[in-house]
């Protein structure tokens, strides 16, 4: 079933690319509207080393921010579950912060953390952190009351119930949050780079636009989406292995 | 209250005048019961009469309202002191889907702090007795309802406490599996010698299993009838058609009928 889906996806992608190629060439579209796929691929090959270096920077920012954000998100959710009184105070504040789109924080973050990788990592960690925090909290809360009571009747305390019941019960939701966060992490890293950076795919996109090199923009986008797909696929595969009971 | 059946010196569990109110719902009102060590007591009563509420109190999950008396092993106590002291099996099996059969069975032992290796070894040795040999590494979603129930029972037995509370353990099973499980439970009980409080909706089951049947009144729950079952053990299925059995059944059914009627009328005529 999985293999069929993969084959279908591949066939679909090839068809779209073929259509794209014919359209761009047939209508002789200018590069700023839509360059042909072959042109983009050629650009990727030509600027391989530059794109690779940029992908490394962006990948590093996204991955580091992702790990920090994921740990922080799960950690804060855990804290709010284990220390109930804290929850009433902290949750409204956290939700208020989250109601502002993450990108709105970027000017401040750039100001505080500079134009280098640190600001990108902070932005990614923020975005991933909230996504994972909310899914983890929902997961921890989702447990059946009767299961909690059963564990209590066996003499389990709050910590034992968390470790043996709430955490595993929340794993499917946490994993879903982590999967969604993969794509978000790359988007946020790239967008923040476009607002100010010394390197990375977002920085290349920004530079190429100012140089009116639209094929290069598309080449960077292609590399970014490859990176994003790979990250998403990896986390998705881990999720399927880890959460076998669904 | 029915007639006091046994009056030996030290009951394992003594309940006197237990009441419990949830908002406007009086779930229990003056419930009283003594359970002797090693006894198998079955509880029947109309739906919603407070049976699970009673169990939640004895398991330590809920405090009864002020005024009731709760004594365990001869010592008066708060319900919450019974947490971890009583082996409780709730109405649903509540197996953890990420744990295989053995690891579900040893959940309570793990919580107690027992070594996982030793607990697993013990559970493995117990599997055949529970009809689960060869299924140790299966996960709950791979098991039938009857098997899941046996895993839950095994978890309850492995948590070695003198008093076991079983809330409708066979409620979800078909008639055939059910009667097999009943004989099997008696068998296991006789070998492990625990004290059992057992809730059921099934009068045949209550009489077939119990040393004593407690019939509860419609809500608010109290004791309507206490009936000793002086039928010889081990009990075989043909007992169900014996005159002694039928006589007890008549008596129990009459009591239940009266209460079921009451709860039906109050349920249809006016809110509780
Ligand atoms: N936590 C609670 N909060 C409010 N009402 C409750 C609570 N627990 C039980 N009740 C009410 O108390 C009454 C007795 O419930 P209980 O679950 O003890 O009945 P039961 O005899 O076990 O029923 P059944 O045979 O259907 O399992 C019911 O009316 C129920 O709605
Ligand atoms: Mg019940």
């Amino acid at each position: 079933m999985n293999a069929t889906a993969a084959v279908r996806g591949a066939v679909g992608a090839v068809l779209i690319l073929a259509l794209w190629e014919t359209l761009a060439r047939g209508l002789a579209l200018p590069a700023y509207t839509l360059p042909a796929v072959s042109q983009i691929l050629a650009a990727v090959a030509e600027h391989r080393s530059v794109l690779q270096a940029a992908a490394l920077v962006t990948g590093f920012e996204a991955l580091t921010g992702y790990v920090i954000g994921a740990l922080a998100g799960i950690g804060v959710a855990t804290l709010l579950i284990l220390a109930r009184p804290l929850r009433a105070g902290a949750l409204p504040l956290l939700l208020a912060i989250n109601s502002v789109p993450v990108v709105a924080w970027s000017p401040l973050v750039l100001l505080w953390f500079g134009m280098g990788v640190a600001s990108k990592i902070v932005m990614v960690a923020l975005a991933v952190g909230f996504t994972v925090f909310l899914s983890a909290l929902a997961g921890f809360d989702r447990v059946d009351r009767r299961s909690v009571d059963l564990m209590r009747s066996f003499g389990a305390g709050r910590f034992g119930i968390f470790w043996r019941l709430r955490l595993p019960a929340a794993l499917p939701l946490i994993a879903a949050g982590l999967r969604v966060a993969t794509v978000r992490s790359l988007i946020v890293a790239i967008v923040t780079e476009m607002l100010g950076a010394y390197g990375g795919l977002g920085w290349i996109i920004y530079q190429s636009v100012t140089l009116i090199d639209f094929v290069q923009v598309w080449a960077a986008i292609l590399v970014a989406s490859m990176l994003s797909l790979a990250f998403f696929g990896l986390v998705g595969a881990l999720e399927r292995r880890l959460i076998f009971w669904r | 209250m029915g007639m006091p059946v046994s009056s030996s010196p030290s009951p394992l569990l003594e309940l006197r005048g237990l009441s419990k109110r949830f908002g406007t719902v009086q779930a229990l009102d003056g419930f009283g019961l003594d359970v002797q060590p090693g006894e198998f007591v079955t509880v029947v009563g109309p739906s919603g009469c407070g049976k699970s509420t009673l169990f939640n109190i004895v398991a330590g999950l809920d405090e009864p309202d002020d005024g009731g008396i709760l004594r365990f092993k001869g010592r008066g106590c708060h319900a919450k002191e019974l947490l971890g002291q009583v082996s409780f099996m709730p109405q649903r099996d509540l197996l953890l889907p990420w744990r295989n059969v053995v690891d579900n069975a040893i959940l309570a032992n793990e919580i107690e702090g027992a070594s996982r290796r030793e607990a697993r070894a013990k559970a493995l040795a117990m599997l055949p007795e529970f009809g689960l040999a060869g299924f140790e590494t299966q996960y709950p979603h791979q098991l039938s309802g009857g098997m899941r129930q046996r895993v839950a029972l095994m978890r309850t037995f492995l948590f070695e406490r003198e008093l076991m509370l079983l809330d409708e353990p066979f409620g979800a099973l078909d008639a055939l599996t059910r009667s097999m499980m009943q004989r099997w439970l008696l068998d296991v009980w006789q070998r492990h010698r625990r004290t059992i409080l057992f809730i059921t909706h099934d009068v045949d089951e209550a009489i077939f299993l119990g040393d004593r049947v407690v019939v509860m009144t419609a809500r608010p729950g109290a004791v309507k009838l206490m009936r000793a079952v002086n039928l010889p053990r081990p009990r075989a299925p043909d007992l169900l058609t014996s005159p002694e059995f039928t006589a007890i059944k008549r008596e129990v059914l009459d009591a239940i009928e009266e209460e079921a009627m009451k709860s039906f009328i109050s349920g249809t005529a006016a809110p509780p």
Side-chain angles (χ1 to χ4, degrees), chain B residues 92-109:
Chain B
R92 297 270 305 278
D93 63 60
L94 300 180
L95 299 180
L96 301 178
W98 53 86
R99 283 174 173 250
N100 65 23
V101 165
V102 165
D103 287 350
N104 260 296
I106 64 165
L107 177 66
N109 309 87

Side-chain angles (χ1 to χ4, degrees), chain B residues 22 25 27 45-54 62 91 167-168 199 201 219:
Chain B
F22 296 106
V25 177
S47 193
C49 74
K51 301 184 293 294
S52 295
T53 303
L54 173 70
D62 253 332
Q91 220 160 339
D167 194 346
E168 287 199 54
I199 290 178
H201 271 115
R219 197 177 60 224

Side-chain angles (χ1 to χ4, degrees), chain B residues 5-269:
Chain B
V5 171
S6 50
S7 50
S8 56
S10 61
L12 180 64
L13 178 73
E14 299 172 65
L15 309 172
R16 298 260 185 295
L18 278 197
S19 302
K20 180 72 187 178
R21 196 181 182 85
F22 296 106
T24 58
V25 177
Q26 187 79 39
L28 283 179
D29 189 18
F31 185 94
L33 175 70
D34 282 1
V35 181
Q36 302 301 329
E39 204 179 8
F40 198 135
V41 178
T42 51
V43 180
V44 283
S47 193
C49 74
K51 301 184 293 294
S52 295
T53 303
L54 173 70
F55 268 29
N56 283 341
I57 291 172
V58 178
L61 297 167
D62 253 332
E63 287 297 332
D65 294 339
D66 291 342
I69 294 175
L70 179 57
R71 293 169 72 81
F72 186 64
K73 296 183 180 173
R75 207 172 58 82
C77 58
H78 288 290
K80 67 167 185 285
E81 294 170 62
L82 295 176
L83 284 174
Q85 303 303 310
V86 173
S87 189
F88 172 52
M89 175 168 167
Q91 220 160 339
R92 297 270 305 278
D93 63 60
L94 300 180
L95 299 180
L96 301 178
W98 53 86
R99 283 174 173 250
N100 65 23
V101 165
V102 165
D103 287 350
N104 260 296
I106 64 165
L107 177 66
N109 309 87
E110 242 186 87
I111 291 170
E112 269 189 293
S115 120
R116 232 195 244 212
R117 224 163 43 87
E118 280 167 33
R120 278 198 185 124
K122 202 163 174 185
L124 276 173
M126 226 180 189
L127 281 174
E129 190 181 354
F130 282 74
L132 293 163
F135 287 91
E136 52 268 31
T137 55
Q138 301 279 86
Y139 285 86
H141 67 266
Q142 299 169 306
L143 303 177
S144 69
M147 291 171 78
R148 293 174 59 108
Q149 218 60 23
R150 285 199 292 262
V151 178
L153 271 166
M154 190 166 152
R155 179 183 64 199
T156 317
F157 269 93
L158 274 169
F159 189 49
E160 293 176 352
R161 295 294 181 271
E162 265 176 81
L163 180 60
M164 290 180 48
L165 307 176
L166 309 180
D167 194 346
E168 287 199 54
F170 308 143
L173 305 181
D174 62 272
L176 211 66
T177 316
R178 192 174 176 135
S179 82
M180 273 166 46
M181 294 285 290
Q182 288 167 359
R183 269 171 284 146
W184 167 84
L185 176 64
L186 285 182
D187 213 46
V188 176
W189 169 66
Q190 249 146 10
R191 254 175 292 134
H192 292 263
R193 272 297 150 193
R194 308 278 176 81
T195 310
I196 296 185
L197 250 180
F198 185 106
I199 290 178
T200 175
H201 271 115
D202 182 336
V203 176
D204 281 345
E205 181 168 270
I207 302 170
F208 184 72
L209 294 176
D211 292 319
R212 213 153 30 116
V213 178
V214 178
V215 179
M216 285 178 73
T217 62
R219 197 177 60 224
V223 175
K224 165 86 174 177
L225 172 75
M226 194 95 80
R227 178 62 161 94
V229 182
N230 298 313
L231 299 171
R233 293 186 190 272
R235 294 180 181 168
D238 57 6
L239 191 71
L240 270 77
T241 47
S242 73
E244 296 89 337
F245 188 95
T246 319
I248 299 173
K249 186 171 171 180
R250 184 74 272 138
E251 208 178 308
V252 170
L253 275 177
D254 282 346
I256 290 179
E257 195 81 356
E258 230 180 281
E259 290 308 311
M261 218 49 211
K262 265 194 235 164
S263 74
F264 182 72
I265 289 167
S266 74
T268 49

Side-chain angles (χ1 to χ4, degrees), chain A residues 97-116:
Chain A
I97 297 174
N98 184 49
S99 68
V100 182
V102 194
V103 182
W105 298 104
S106 50
L108 286 176
V109 171
L110 282 168
L111 200 65
W112 292 334
F113 295 91
M115 301 264 280

Side-chain angles (χ1 to χ4, degrees), chain A residues 76-100:
Chain A
V76 172
T78 304
L79 200 68
L80 295 199
I81 288 289
L82 291 179
R84 287 272 166 192
L86 208 61
R87 179 177 181 148
L91 196 56
L93 179 70
L94 288 169
L95 292 179
I97 297 174
N98 184 49
S99 68
V100 182

Side-chain angles (χ1 to χ4, degrees), chain A residues 6-48:
Chain A
V7 168
R8 264 195 221 142
V11 169
V14 168
L15 281 178
I16 288 172
L17 290 179
L19 188 68
W20 178 346
E21 182 77 21
T22 357
L23 271 179
R25 286 203 180 270
L27 301 176
L29 293 175
Y32 57 81
T33 310
L34 191 66
V37 179
S38 53
Q39 271 177 290
I40 298 172
L41 289 175
V44 171
E46 186 184 340
H47 303 290
R48 202 171 43 233

Side-chain angles (χ1 to χ4, degrees), chain A residues 115-190:
Chain A
M115 301 264 280
V117 292
S119 54
K120 319 301 177 290
I121 292 174
V122 169
M123 286 295 293
V124 172
L126 264 178
V128 170
F130 273 107
T131 308
V132 175
F133 164 73
L134 291 174
S135 56
L137 196 64
F140 293 150
D141 279 340
R142 199 181 52 162
V143 301
D144 191 334
R145 224 209 97 102
R146 292 168 303 181
S147 294
V148 174
D149 278 347
L150 178 67
M151 310 258 308
R152 286 210 299 139
S153 87
F154 291 145
R158 180 165 291 185
F159 191 78
I161 291 173
F162 179 82
W163 182 245
R164 295 207 166 75
L165 178 65
R166 287 193 193 278
L167 185 62
L171 279 183
L173 266 182
I174 294 179
L178 284 173
R179 183 159 34 85
V180 172
T182 54
V183 177
R184 288 199 82 185
S185 71
L186 278 154
I187 294 174
V188 171
I190 289 171

